[in-house]
Amino acid sequence: MNGTNVDTTGTTVAQRIAQSLPRLTRSHRQVADYVLEHPLQVATLPIDELAAAVGVSVATANRFARALDFDGYATFRAELVRGFESLVAPVERLRGNLERPSTVAEVFATALDESRRNIEATRQTLDHAACEAAVERIGKARSIYIAGFGASAWLAGLLQHGLDGSCNDVRLLSSVSGVTHAARTLTHAGPQDLCIALTFPRYLTDTVALARIAKGQGCALLALTDRPSSPVAPLADVVLYCQTETSYRPNCETSVLALIEALTSAVALRAPGAVQSASRILQAVRPWLHGGQGPVRGELPATAASAAPAGKRRKKKKAAS
């Protein structure tokens, strides 16, 4: 103990600051105000960066931590991080990588290796019963609502693209209209429908809120996420887990995309009239495909089609003469 008489049993950093405030020096209060206003940012800062941000010396920042009855700044920051572990983890990993300089080639190799390991780990831990249930629910759903925000919005769009050829009504909830429009859209959902929620660290409250609304409407919920402690996992009827660990970004999206492609492939193969549906899509997009202006099987080339009536006319002329 350092003589501040702070009761530290089960207290947060903010509580310790409140208890110590009457005894803090002016410069310590300056640090305290910054910590209370920017707790998440401070959780990612080494002592020299915090001191520079506040405008005090490194020694003052360290004495501030001791005034809160911590052994030093490192212990203070560790306690602050404890409340934001999943949020600050990517920043800490990036900081560690920057402290160990790598060549561009090494970063490429590491990132590709991480993608491969994440895909393999996802494959090894797949719950095959959950995969079957996911494909079955998608196939039976009247309408499918896909919720994913932040980085997951791009993945949600790819999921919609993959399901669109096999399902009659697939709606992407992330749009320029914002989450309130998505919530309004979900008021049309019901027990015959399915909501698919994608969320990975750092989990966004928008996705969780929409998942709860969907459940409230009686809609089934399929979750694509990373672990059972994910906030959408307890809400879901079916969960497909995907490993997303990476050194350079909050998540490895490659493994999520691989899971999406596996899911949409299985749905396409189970869908009735899969070949006919693929043919209809080909017909629809053919004018925009490079080299797609030629004839499709079952059609006459334009020259042959135009030549046939002319040949018949010539025969009629000969018969008349």
Side-chain angles (χ1 to χ4, degrees), residues 6 45 64-65 119 124 150 230 265:
V6 176
L45 294 178
F64 163 75
I119 291 173
Q124 291 287 351
S230 164
S265 296

Side-chain angles (χ1 to χ4, degrees), residues 196-249:
I196 306 178
L198 298 87
T199 187
F200 299 88
R202 297 162 274 195
Y203 311 108
L204 293 187
T205 55
D206 290 352
T207 307
V208 181
L210 291 177
R212 289 198 175 103
I213 292 173
K215 292 294 290 183
Q217 292 291 120
C219 188
L221 180 65
L222 165 62
L224 273 61
T225 191
D226 65 316
R227 64 193 68 186
S229 60
S230 164
V232 296
L235 303 173
D237 300 286
V238 181
V239 185
L240 297 181
Y241 292 108
C242 184
Q243 181 166 302
T244 62
E245 295 178 2
T246 179
S247 301
Y248 304 107
R249 296 163 49 83

Side-chain angles (χ1 to χ4, degrees), residues 48-103:
D48 57 329
E49 292 185 23
L50 172 65
V54 180
V56 298
S57 67
V58 171
T60 296
N62 196 49
R63 283 195 295 268
F64 163 75
R66 292 184 179 278
L68 301 186
D69 205 38
F70 290 105
D71 293 336
Y73 183 78
T75 311
F76 155 77
R77 184 165 167 257
E79 180 63 23
L80 196 60
V81 166
R82 203 157 59 92
F84 301 108
E85 286 165 329
S86 63
L87 302 182
V88 303
V91 179
E92 292 301 296
R93 286 197 300 267
L94 181 59
R95 188 187 301 280
N97 285 320
L98 291 175
E99 291 172 354
R100 297 187 300 273
S102 301
T103 65

Side-chain angles (χ1 to χ4, degrees), residues 112-123:
L112 291 170
D113 282 342
E114 286 178 342
S115 293
R116 177 183 54 79
R117 286 197 300 270
N118 282 322
I119 291 173
E120 181 59 23
T122 299
R123 188 183 72 83

Side-chain angles (χ1 to χ4, degrees), residues 123-309:
R123 188 183 72 83
Q124 291 287 351
T125 58
L126 269 183
D127 182 337
H128 297 294
C131 295
E132 285 282 351
V135 172
E136 183 179 357
R137 286 182 182 271
I138 290 172
K140 289 182 177 180
R142 177 187 60 183
S143 295
I144 298 171
Y145 301 86
I146 303 178
F149 293 85
S152 291
W154 308 100
L155 296 166
L158 291 169
L159 177 58
Q160 183 204 29
H161 175 73
L163 292 177
D164 195 53
S166 307
C167 307
N168 290 327
D169 186 21
V170 186
R171 308 183 189 190
L172 188 63
L173 294 178
S174 56
S175 69
V176 294
S177 303
V179 70
T180 55
H181 182 76
R184 187 168 68 178
T185 300
L186 276 175
T187 61
H188 301 290
Q192 293 176 288
D193 303 318
L194 174 69
C195 178
I196 306 178
L198 298 87
T199 187
F200 299 88
R202 297 162 274 195
Y203 311 108
L204 293 187
T205 55
D206 290 352
T207 307
V208 181
L210 291 177
R212 289 198 175 103
I213 292 173
K215 292 294 290 183
Q217 292 291 120
C219 188
L221 180 65
L222 165 62
L224 273 61
T225 191
D226 65 316
R227 64 193 68 186
S229 60
S230 164
V232 296
L235 303 173
D237 300 286
V238 181
V239 185
L240 297 181
Y241 292 108
C242 184
Q243 181 166 302
T244 62
E245 295 178 2
T246 179
S247 301
Y248 304 107
R249 296 163 49 83
N251 289 290
C252 172
E253 274 102 26
T254 314
S255 53
V256 185
L257 178 57
L259 182 62
I260 287 171
E261 290 187 345
L263 176 61
T264 55
S265 296
V267 169
L269 289 174
R270 285 282 184 89
V275 175
Q276 292 83 348
S277 177
S279 297
R280 285 195 300 271
I281 293 172
L282 175 59
Q283 279 286 78
V285 303
R286 186 166 66 93
W288 291 273
L289 299 179
H290 180 72
Q293 289 73 30
V296 170
R297 184 174 159 185
E299 290 185 357
L300 283 172
T303 53
S306 59

